[in-house]
Amino acid sequence: MMNGPTTSVDDCSLITFDKIESNSGSLSVLEPFQQLPFDIKRVYYIYDIPSGSERGGHAHKTLDQVIIAISGSFDLTIFDGVRTKTIQLNRPNVGVHLVPGIWRILSNFSSSAVCLTLASQVYNESDYIRESDHYRLFKTS
Ligand code: TYD
C-alpha cells in the first residue's frame, strides 16, 4: 500500500493479463494478489457513456484501483501534482494500476466503451479529493 501524498505517475503500472484463447473466444482471469496487486472489495463499471463525456476529475487518498477497458476504448490521463501521462486503454486484457494520490481523467470514450474498475476498498466519499486546491495541499503535505 503506497502513501498517497508521495506517489507519482511512475507508480501506476500497466498490467497485461493472460489470455486463454480458443476457437470460441478469449478468457482472462483476475484474482486478488495474483493478477491484481490488492484484495478486491468493490467492482463497478461505467457504460452508456455519451460521446465527448469526461469522467473522473478527482484523486483518492488511500484507494488502489485497477481500470480496464473491458469493451471499446478510452484515454486515461493521470497527474501526480507534477507530471501528467495519458494512456490509451483499448484491450480487455490490459489494466492500469492506479495507486493512491493520483488525479485521473477519463476521456475520448469510443461508442459502447465499458470501463471496469476493481477497487481495494468499499465506496467512501471521504476518501475522494475532488478539488484541485485540496489535491495540491494533499500532495505537498
Ligand atoms: P465518481 O467516482 O465521481 O465517478 P467518475 O469518477 O466515474 O466520474 O462517482 C459518480 C457518482 O457515483 C458519485 O455520486 C458517487 C457515486 N458512486 C457510488 O455511489 N458508489 C461507487 O462505488 C462509485 C464509484 C460512485
Side-chain angles (χ1 to χ4, degrees):
M1 187 64 61
M2 302 198 77
N3 182 29
T6 64
T7 54
S8 84
V9 291
D10 290 334
D11 297 318
C12 298
S13 45
L14 218 56
I15 310 174
T16 301
F17 309 116
D18 287 345
K19 203 195 266 193
I20 302 169
E21 293 181 281
S22 75
N23 292 337
S24 48
S26 300
L27 180 155
S28 294
V29 58
L30 309 176
E31 287 184 309
F33 307 118
Q34 301 294 319
Q35 298 81 3
L36 297 172
F38 51 77
D39 200 7
I40 307 168
K41 295 285 170 50
R42 176 168 51 117
V43 174
Y44 65 89
Y45 42 98
I46 303 168
Y47 54 97
D48 288 348
I49 305 157
S51 83
S53 298
E54 273 197 359
R55 309 266 329 189
H58 58 76
H60 285 279
K61 295 174 190 165
T62 65
L63 187 70
D64 279 87
Q65 294 170 301
V66 168
I67 293 189
I68 303 168
I70 211 76
S71 177
S73 65
F74 55 84
D75 290 345
L76 172 66
T77 299
I78 55 177
F79 174 61
D80 58 19
V82 179
R83 288 165 55 220
T84 300
K85 260 192 199 177
T86 297
I87 301 159
Q88 190 192 34
L89 288 174
N90 56 13
R91 288 196 284 151
N93 70 320
V94 172
V96 175
H97 177 202
L98 279 182
V99 296
I102 301 294
W103 192 272
R104 86 292 310 274
I105 293 169
L106 286 77
S107 62
N108 289 335
F109 291 95
S110 70
S111 67
S112 33
V114 180
C115 171
L116 178 71
T117 301
L118 309 163
S120 65
Q121 295 168 34
V122 297
Y123 175 70
N124 175 10
E125 185 58 36
S126 67
D127 191 66
Y128 279 76
I129 302 170
R130 293 190 183 274
E131 302 294 332
S132 53
D133 287 356
H134 179 186
Y135 180 65
R136 214 167 292 125
L137 286 173
F138 178 75
K139 292 304 268 187
T140 51
S141 64

